[in-house]
């Protein structure tokens, strides 16, 4: 499932995203991930640095929803998909280097969480709000 071009453009150089997961008992959880980014036209990712409930939930249930909002580019979408943990290899090394290079005192990357897109939904405040885009 391909992300729309405008969503790809917003995510290409990284963007804050809100990541929603579900606990084993059905409790919803949401966390901000400033490391949200585009991997390719069918996958997003974020760096797992601090995740507790997000990580625990995704290890039991890989369903994830990600909200992306960038008013300047008129992007307000929810991406639903499946998460997988990448703990080594070129993507992990690249993201680890990027985070270390920020020199922001952040901890080492535990995992890169790859999100494979399954559907995209309109979160705008308008006539198409709530509708499926792809
Ligand atoms: C602006 C901002 C950006 C953040 N970016 C990340 C991030 O990229 N990766 C990460 O693991 N945690 C990040 N966090 C921390 C998470 O929002 C959250 O505190 C962490 O996942 C623990 O919550 P959880 O138990 O619900 O997972 C960020 C927090 C803020 C305020």
């Amino acid at each position: 499932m391909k992300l729309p071009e405008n969503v790809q453009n917003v995510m290409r150089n990284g963007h804050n995203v809100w990541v929603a997961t579900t606990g084993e008992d059905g409790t919803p959880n949401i966390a901000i991930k400033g490391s949200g980014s585009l991997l390719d036209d069918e996958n997003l990712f974020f760096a797992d640095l601090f995740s507790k409930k997000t990580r625990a939930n995704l290890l039991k249930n890989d369903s994830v929803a990600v909200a992306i909002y960038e008013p300047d580019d008129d992007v307000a979408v929810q991406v639903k998909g499946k998460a997988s943990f990448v703990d080594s290899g070129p993507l992990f090394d690249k993201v680890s280097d990027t985070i270390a290079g920020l020199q922001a005192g952040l901890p080492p990357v535990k995992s890169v969480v790859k999100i494979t897109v399954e559907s995209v939904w309109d979160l705008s405040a308008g006539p198409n709000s709530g509708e499926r885009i792809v």
Side-chain angles (χ1 to χ4, degrees):
M1 186 71 64
K2 279 195 181 11
L3 287 160
E5 280 295 327
N6 63 339
V7 179
Q8 290 188 44
N9 289 338
V10 162
M11 294 304 299
R12 190 160 278 121
N13 296 318
H15 204 279
N16 277 328
V17 296
W18 284 260
V19 176
T21 58
T22 310
E24 274 191 288
D25 63 355
T27 304
N29 191 74
I30 193 155
I32 307 166
K33 300 295 173 184
S35 56
S37 196
L38 185 75
L39 178 58
D40 56 40
D41 59 7
E42 297 183 344
N43 294 279
L44 300 171
F45 70 87
F46 66 85
D48 177 7
L49 307 169
F50 297 106
S51 299
K52 291 190 176 66
K53 295 177 294 303
T54 302
R55 184 180 185 89
N57 289 353
L58 289 176
L59 287 170
K60 298 272 186 184
N61 176 354
D62 62 359
S63 291
V64 63
V66 176
I68 304 165
Y69 178 50
E70 177 43 71
D72 292 344
D73 294 288
D74 201 24
V75 168
V77 297
Q78 180 191 151
V79 174
K80 293 187 198 290
K82 295 291 185 197
S84 55
F85 287 79
V86 179
D87 296 334
S88 62
L91 175 62
F92 180 85
D93 292 344
K94 185 174 164 220
V95 176
S96 294
D97 288 350
T98 301
I99 296 288
L102 295 175
Q103 298 190 313
L106 293 168
V109 174
K110 285 191 247 175
S111 302
V112 175
V113 180
K114 181 175 145 183
I115 297 167
T116 301
V117 177
E118 291 190 330
S119 62
V120 182
W121 302 79
D122 193 316
L123 287 188
S124 69
N128 299 320
S129 60
E131 291 183 7
R132 187 167 177 170
I133 299 170
V134 290

